[in-house]
Amino acid sequence: MQQSILERACAGDEAAFRALIDPYRRELEVHCYRLLGSLTDAEDMLQETLLAAWRGLPGFQQRSSLRSWLYRIATNRCLNAVRDARRRLPPEPVPPFTPPEPTRRGDLRWLQPYPIDQSDLADPAPGPEARYAAAEAVELAFVTGLQRLPPRQAASLVLRDVLGFPVAEVAELLGVTPFAVKGNLQRARASLDRYRGHRVPRRAAPDERDLARRFAAAYLAGDIDGVVALLTDDAWLSMPPAPHQYQGRAAIAAFLSASFAYRGERRTHLLPTHANGLPAFGTYLDDGFRPVATPAGLIVLTPAGDRLSGITRFHLDALYPRFGLPRELTISPAQA
């Protein structure tokens, strides 16, 4: 049956091509996201990959599996895109209030969340050499670390340690020698450990939902002490594409104080969702006059046991529908 579909697709049958490719769409998009760190760029690269596959399918000689062939196309499209990414960074937003001095200024302004839940995280049949579980390999800390690696190192690590392709196949996919792949892997693993601080992989726990609820209650109430009490001592607050980053309870409290003061009497509303396999909230802000609230940033929480080690607020309101969130929130009289 698969061979018959392949033959029809090679002959130009678009329905057969869709049937052939559709099982790989999601995993290819996740692959592109890991390498690019951007949902919008990953969507673009997926479309480029499928277009290249459609055009190149008649020349597919089946020397490798269809899946490997698609990964070759997707990986090389992403590597080409990374070369241009530094020249088209999103503009740095101007805060509507004067924020306190940040702990540092981040440089990964293109970083975006990915709409995926724990229940939808399994990579299809990862090879026996995979070192990272699918859940860990899409978390923000992991994806952020990948963005700091040289592109070929990142690609080698994802193909080998996340997807489990053998070294020889990774070398073929990247057009390099197995020796080069081994060198890339050695350097990439050491660098990724350094960027992530040798972080122990998070394992989802039932009480994460309670942790998220407690955060939401404190945040909605403007209870800075309540939010800070949920943080680890070395927690980070980041706000891509804004570069301001704050580490530690005191620094985060100072930022929240300025942010909540700017919010004033306007009411914040939170809708739960998930991003990168982590609990998240779409935030909305109303003006007290109209019966609607408009998007005000997607908050992604990074749990660490019974505390939060990270709060990342993405100022990317146009992406709300991708996370199952409405473009605006209707406010009932009881909420006003």
mmCIF file of all heavy atoms in Angstrom, residues 120-143:
data_model
loop_
_atom_site.group_PDB
_atom_site.id
_atom_site.type_symbol
_atom_site.label_atom_id
_atom_site.label_comp_id
_atom_site.label_asym_id
_atom_site.label_seq_id
_atom_site.Cartn_x
_atom_site.Cartn_y
_atom_site.Cartn_z
ATOM 1 N N ASP A 120 1.116 15.113 24.275
ATOM 2 C CA ASP A 120 1.359 15.138 22.828
ATOM 3 C C ASP A 120 2.853 15.258 22.530
ATOM 4 O O ASP A 120 3.248 15.805 21.517
ATOM 5 C CB ASP A 120 0.604 16.326 22.209
ATOM 6 C CG ASP A 120 0.534 16.249 20.691
ATOM 7 O OD1 ASP A 120 0.550 15.122 20.167
ATOM 8 O OD2 ASP A 120 0.476 17.306 20.048
ATOM 9 N N LEU A 121 3.680 14.709 23.437
ATOM 10 C CA LEU A 121 5.108 14.971 23.339
ATOM 11 C C LEU A 121 5.939 13.837 22.760
ATOM 12 O O LEU A 121 7.122 14.013 22.520
ATOM 13 C CB LEU A 121 5.661 15.314 24.730
ATOM 14 C CG LEU A 121 5.505 16.770 25.140
ATOM 15 C CD1 LEU A 121 5.869 16.958 26.599
ATOM 16 C CD2 LEU A 121 6.385 17.655 24.281
ATOM 17 N N ALA A 122 5.382 12.671 22.563
ATOM 18 C CA ALA A 122 6.209 11.540 22.157
ATOM 19 C C ALA A 122 6.708 11.704 20.730
ATOM 20 O O ALA A 122 5.941 11.893 19.797
ATOM 21 C CB ALA A 122 5.426 10.240 22.290
ATOM 22 N N ASP A 123 8.038 11.620 20.556
ATOM 23 C CA ASP A 123 8.595 11.546 19.212
ATOM 24 C C ASP A 123 8.393 10.129 18.700
ATOM 25 O O ASP A 123 8.659 9.160 19.418
ATOM 26 C CB ASP A 123 10.096 11.864 19.216
ATOM 27 C CG ASP A 123 10.367 13.353 19.187
ATOM 28 O OD1 ASP A 123 9.738 14.030 18.369
ATOM 29 O OD2 ASP A 123 11.188 13.830 19.986
ATOM 30 N N PRO A 124 7.923 9.973 17.455
ATOM 31 C CA PRO A 124 7.688 8.631 16.944
ATOM 32 C C PRO A 124 8.962 7.793 16.925
ATOM 33 O O PRO A 124 9.959 8.162 16.323
ATOM 34 C CB PRO A 124 7.176 8.880 15.514
ATOM 35 C CG PRO A 124 6.655 10.275 15.542
ATOM 36 C CD PRO A 124 7.540 11.016 16.510
ATOM 37 N N ALA A 125 8.947 6.668 17.621
ATOM 38 C CA ALA A 125 10.007 5.665 17.583
ATOM 39 C C ALA A 125 11.410 6.251 17.620
ATOM 40 O O ALA A 125 12.188 6.081 16.690
ATOM 41 C CB ALA A 125 9.839 4.811 16.326
ATOM 42 N N PRO A 126 11.765 6.991 18.699
ATOM 43 C CA PRO A 126 13.141 7.472 18.775
ATOM 44 C C PRO A 126 14.101 6.294 18.820
ATOM 45 O O PRO A 126 13.787 5.244 19.389
ATOM 46 C CB PRO A 126 13.156 8.280 20.067
ATOM 47 C CG PRO A 126 12.048 7.726 20.887
ATOM 48 C CD PRO A 126 11.002 7.307 19.908
ATOM 49 N N GLY A 127 15.276 6.434 18.227
ATOM 50 C CA GLY A 127 16.242 5.353 18.182
ATOM 51 C C GLY A 127 16.785 5.019 19.557
ATOM 52 O O GLY A 127 16.629 5.791 20.505
ATOM 53 N N PRO A 128 17.433 3.857 19.693
ATOM 54 C CA PRO A 128 17.935 3.422 21.003
ATOM 55 C C PRO A 128 19.023 4.328 21.569
ATOM 56 O O PRO A 128 19.303 4.276 22.764
ATOM 57 C CB PRO A 128 18.470 2.017 20.717
ATOM 58 C CG PRO A 128 18.751 2.009 19.243
ATOM 59 C CD PRO A 128 17.713 2.882 18.630
ATOM 60 N N GLU A 129 19.647 5.155 20.723
ATOM 61 C CA GLU A 129 20.713 6.029 21.192
ATOM 62 C C GLU A 129 20.211 7.390 21.664
ATOM 63 O O GLU A 129 21.011 8.261 22.020
ATOM 64 C CB GLU A 129 21.753 6.223 20.086
ATOM 65 C CG GLU A 129 22.442 4.938 19.650
ATOM 66 C CD GLU A 129 23.150 4.250 20.809
ATOM 67 O OE1 GLU A 129 23.722 4.967 21.660
ATOM 68 O OE2 GLU A 129 23.121 3.022 20.878
ATOM 69 N N ALA A 130 18.911 7.595 21.651
ATOM 70 C CA ALA A 130 18.372 8.876 22.113
ATOM 71 C C ALA A 130 18.704 9.070 23.594
ATOM 72 O O ALA A 130 18.520 8.159 24.410
ATOM 73 C CB ALA A 130 16.867 8.924 21.898
ATOM 74 N N ARG A 131 19.190 10.251 23.930
ATOM 75 C CA ARG A 131 19.593 10.551 25.306
ATOM 76 C C ARG A 131 18.570 11.394 26.051
ATOM 77 O O ARG A 131 18.604 11.466 27.271
ATOM 78 C CB ARG A 131 20.928 11.296 25.306
ATOM 79 C CG ARG A 131 22.104 10.465 24.832
ATOM 80 C CD ARG A 131 23.396 11.255 24.900
ATOM 81 N NE ARG A 131 24.535 10.406 24.623
ATOM 82 C CZ ARG A 131 25.711 10.495 25.233
ATOM 83 N NH1 ARG A 131 25.883 11.411 26.169
ATOM 84 N NH2 ARG A 131 26.698 9.702 24.914
ATOM 85 N N TYR A 132 17.718 12.087 25.322
ATOM 86 C CA TYR A 132 16.761 12.995 25.946
ATOM 87 C C TYR A 132 15.340 12.510 25.689
ATOM 88 O O TYR A 132 14.999 12.123 24.564
ATOM 89 C CB TYR A 132 16.911 14.412 25.390
ATOM 90 C CG TYR A 132 18.250 15.047 25.682
ATOM 91 C CD1 TYR A 132 19.249 15.064 24.722
ATOM 92 C CD2 TYR A 132 18.513 15.632 26.927
ATOM 93 C CE1 TYR A 132 20.483 15.645 24.980
ATOM 94 C CE2 TYR A 132 19.736 16.215 27.198
ATOM 95 C CZ TYR A 132 20.716 16.216 26.223
ATOM 96 O OH TYR A 132 21.937 16.787 26.489
ATOM 97 N N ALA A 133 14.531 12.537 26.728
ATOM 98 C CA ALA A 133 13.119 12.236 26.552
ATOM 99 C C ALA A 133 12.466 13.353 25.753
ATOM 100 O O ALA A 133 12.915 14.502 25.772
ATOM 101 C CB ALA A 133 12.438 12.108 27.921
ATOM 102 N N ALA A 134 11.403 13.012 25.036
ATOM 103 C CA ALA A 134 10.741 13.995 24.183
ATOM 104 C C ALA A 134 10.267 15.205 24.984
ATOM 105 O O ALA A 134 10.347 16.339 24.516
ATOM 106 C CB ALA A 134 9.560 13.344 23.460
ATOM 107 N N ALA A 135 9.783 14.963 26.213
ATOM 108 C CA ALA A 135 9.294 16.077 27.031
ATOM 109 C C ALA A 135 10.417 17.050 27.357
ATOM 110 O O ALA A 135 10.263 18.267 27.254
ATOM 111 C CB ALA A 135 8.665 15.545 28.320
ATOM 112 N N GLU A 136 11.565 16.523 27.759
ATOM 113 C CA GLU A 136 12.695 17.391 28.100
ATOM 114 C C GLU A 136 13.187 18.157 26.884
ATOM 115 O O GLU A 136 13.595 19.323 26.973
ATOM 116 C CB GLU A 136 13.834 16.553 28.679
ATOM 117 C CG GLU A 136 15.048 17.357 29.095
ATOM 118 C CD GLU A 136 16.199 16.488 29.551
ATOM 119 O OE1 GLU A 136 16.117 15.254 29.417
ATOM 120 O OE2 GLU A 136 17.201 17.056 30.038
ATOM 121 N N ALA A 137 13.143 17.508 25.718
ATOM 122 C CA ALA A 137 13.749 18.073 24.511
ATOM 123 C C ALA A 137 12.906 19.132 23.830
ATOM 124 O O ALA A 137 13.268 19.617 22.760
ATOM 125 C CB ALA A 137 14.069 16.957 23.520
ATOM 126 N N VAL A 138 11.767 19.513 24.429
ATOM 127 C CA VAL A 138 10.994 20.623 23.882
ATOM 128 C C VAL A 138 10.774 21.704 24.936
ATOM 129 O O VAL A 138 10.179 22.736 24.659
ATOM 130 C CB VAL A 138 9.646 20.123 23.303
ATOM 131 C CG1 VAL A 138 8.612 19.906 24.406
ATOM 132 C CG2 VAL A 138 9.120 21.059 22.232
ATOM 133 N N GLU A 139 11.276 21.484 26.166
ATOM 134 C CA GLU A 139 11.133 22.494 27.206
ATOM 135 C C GLU A 139 11.947 23.736 26.852
ATOM 136 O O GLU A 139 12.926 23.674 26.110
ATOM 137 C CB GLU A 139 11.568 21.934 28.570
ATOM 138 C CG GLU A 139 10.581 20.947 29.151
ATOM 139 C CD GLU A 139 10.972 20.489 30.540
ATOM 140 O OE1 GLU A 139 11.907 21.087 31.121
ATOM 141 O OE2 GLU A 139 10.347 19.552 31.051
ATOM 142 N N LEU A 140 11.540 24.851 27.418
ATOM 143 C CA LEU A 140 12.178 26.118 27.076
ATOM 144 C C LEU A 140 13.673 26.117 27.385
ATOM 145 O O LEU A 140 14.469 26.644 26.606
ATOM 146 C CB LEU A 140 11.495 27.268 27.824
ATOM 147 C CG LEU A 140 10.117 27.683 27.305
ATOM 148 C CD1 LEU A 140 9.510 28.724 28.233
ATOM 149 C CD2 LEU A 140 10.220 28.229 25.884
ATOM 150 N N ALA A 141 14.081 25.518 28.519
ATOM 151 C CA ALA A 141 15.497 25.515 28.877
ATOM 152 C C ALA A 141 16.318 24.774 27.828
ATOM 153 O O ALA A 141 17.422 25.199 27.470
ATOM 154 C CB ALA A 141 15.688 24.883 30.254
ATOM 155 N N PHE A 142 15.785 23.673 27.321
ATOM 156 C CA PHE A 142 16.496 22.889 26.318
ATOM 157 C C PHE A 142 16.555 23.637 24.988
ATOM 158 O O PHE A 142 17.620 23.758 24.366
ATOM 159 C CB PHE A 142 15.789 21.539 26.134
ATOM 160 C CG PHE A 142 16.526 20.582 25.232
ATOM 161 C CD1 PHE A 142 17.481 19.722 25.763
ATOM 162 C CD2 PHE A 142 16.270 20.526 23.871
ATOM 163 C CE1 PHE A 142 18.163 18.835 24.935
ATOM 164 C CE2 PHE A 142 16.941 19.652 23.044
ATOM 165 C CZ PHE A 142 17.891 18.793 23.581
ATOM 166 N N VAL A 143 15.420 24.156 24.552
ATOM 167 C CA VAL A 143 15.374 24.869 23.277
ATOM 168 C C VAL A 143 16.250 26.121 23.329
ATOM 169 O O VAL A 143 16.955 26.444 22.367
ATOM 170 C CB VAL A 143 13.918 25.226 22.907
ATOM 171 C CG1 VAL A 143 13.862 26.093 21.649
ATOM 172 C CG2 VAL A 143 13.102 23.952 22.696
#
